[in-house]
Amino acid sequence: MTAAVSDRFDGRRALVTGGASGIGRASAELLLERGAQVAVLDREADPIAEAKDELGAAVGVAADVRDGAAVGDALGRVVEALGGPPEVLVNAAGVYRIAAAADIDETGWDEVLDTNLRGSFLVAREFVGALRAGRSARDAGRASVVNLASTAALVADGGEPAAHYNASKAGVVALTKQLAVEWAGDGVRVNAVAPGVIDTPMLRLMDDPANGRSFLDARVPLRRLGRAAEVAEVALFLLSERASYVTGATIVVDGGATAT
């Protein structure tokens, strides 16, 4: 008889970057609801302390994901606080900037690429390093990573140009595939979600409500913004045992926008 699989995370240790707001916070909340011990990481100390207290997370850590030394130190604090290496990672830390390609300077390019792509890599690298040192999650074969990509990795947008953001998220998709192949032998699955227009603090589409409404009616078949919790549900499916044969995949969560 086949053993039952579950979407619960009881007894499992989880780390969520970008956990102070948006999709990261929604993912942390859902992991806590489903029994995980959760550490949240974000750049600023005050928002992460507030998020930790409101969510009831095990620990909140402030660190800049662009800084390898800071990420390594943060993972050490997370391992200590959780009593072992996290077995589940949601890589949600990111920034979004709008600028025409000809107007993006090197500083602006580096900020976005370093946060969204380099940061995802550095956190994932430290995560798997801690797992290998701890061994227990590797031996159980239940470790899992979900990276936050975007539909901007798949389609361009002339109305809201962001070449640096698009490139960073396309890099996240490629990184996800490569890590999935390299870390399969460690029992670590690596997947990504690619959200479309989601109602989070990073969203700029609705700054002009009339234009935003026109975009939703014309470009999104479901004709509404997505919710952070809806993306978190997909992320947690990929993290859970229910997705035990899924790795290297990017799942689009966009209300049908990229299907048109």
Side-chain angles (χ1 to χ4, degrees):
M1 183 176 179
T2 304
V5 294
S6 173
D7 61 0
R8 296 284 303 175
F9 292 84
D10 299 294
R12 300 181 71 183
R13 298 178 293 269
L15 169 62
V16 180
T17 74
S21 64
I23 294 167
R25 182 167 176 143
S27 298
E29 184 172 359
L30 203 53
L31 281 162
L32 285 160
E33 286 178 6
R34 296 186 184 171
Q37 242 189 315
V38 178
V40 288
L41 183 152
D42 214 299
R43 185 182 299 185
E44 301 295 335
D46 288 344
I48 201 63
E50 180 181 341
K52 173 190 173 295
D53 292 343
E54 290 180 357
L55 291 169
V59 63
V61 178
D64 187 339
V65 298
R66 300 174 296 180
D67 183 334
V71 170
D73 178 67
L75 261 290
R77 284 182 281 160
V78 167
V79 169
E80 182 178 0
L82 297 182
E87 303 145 290
V88 169
L89 169 63
V90 179
N91 243 336
V95 295
Y96 179 53
R97 303 287 184 262
I98 301 169
D103 296 330
I104 299 171
D105 61 20
E106 292 179 17
T107 299
W109 178 271
D110 289 346
E111 180 206 11
V112 174
L113 269 290
D114 285 353
T115 304
N116 296 352
L117 182 54
R118 173 186 169 91
S120 295
F121 165 69
L122 290 175
V123 174
R125 184 187 67 181
E126 294 300 322
F127 168 84
V128 85
L131 278 174
R132 286 170 172 170
R135 287 306 207 209
S136 60
R138 191 189 99 154
D139 294 342
R142 299 169 64 207
S144 186
V145 177
V146 167
N147 295 318
L148 259 291
S150 168
T151 54
L154 310 174
V155 294
D157 188 343
E160 198 170 279
H164 39 3
Y165 182 78
N166 292 37
S168 72
K169 292 303 186 177
V172 168
V173 171
L175 177 67
T176 296
K177 292 179 180 181
Q178 185 63 33
L179 297 184
V181 171
E182 290 193 28
W183 295 349
D186 291 291
V188 180
R189 293 184 301 104
V190 186
N191 293 291
V193 291
V197 286
I198 307 299
D199 189 7
T200 72
M202 284 206 322
L203 182 71
R204 298 274 63 86
L205 174 68
M206 302 306 291
D207 287 352
D208 182 329
N211 286 342
R213 182 72 260 166
S214 296
F215 177 91
L216 294 174
D217 289 345
R219 299 277 297 277
V220 181
L222 291 185
R223 300 182 68 179
R224 66 172 175 85
L225 296 176
R227 297 184 295 273
E230 292 176 305
V231 182
E233 285 282 2
V234 177
L236 262 70
F237 164 72
L238 291 170
L239 293 169
S240 77
E241 294 176 349
R242 292 186 180 276
S244 58
Y245 199 56
V246 181
T247 196
T250 296
I251 307 300
V252 173
V253 187
D254 71 345
T258 55
T260 60

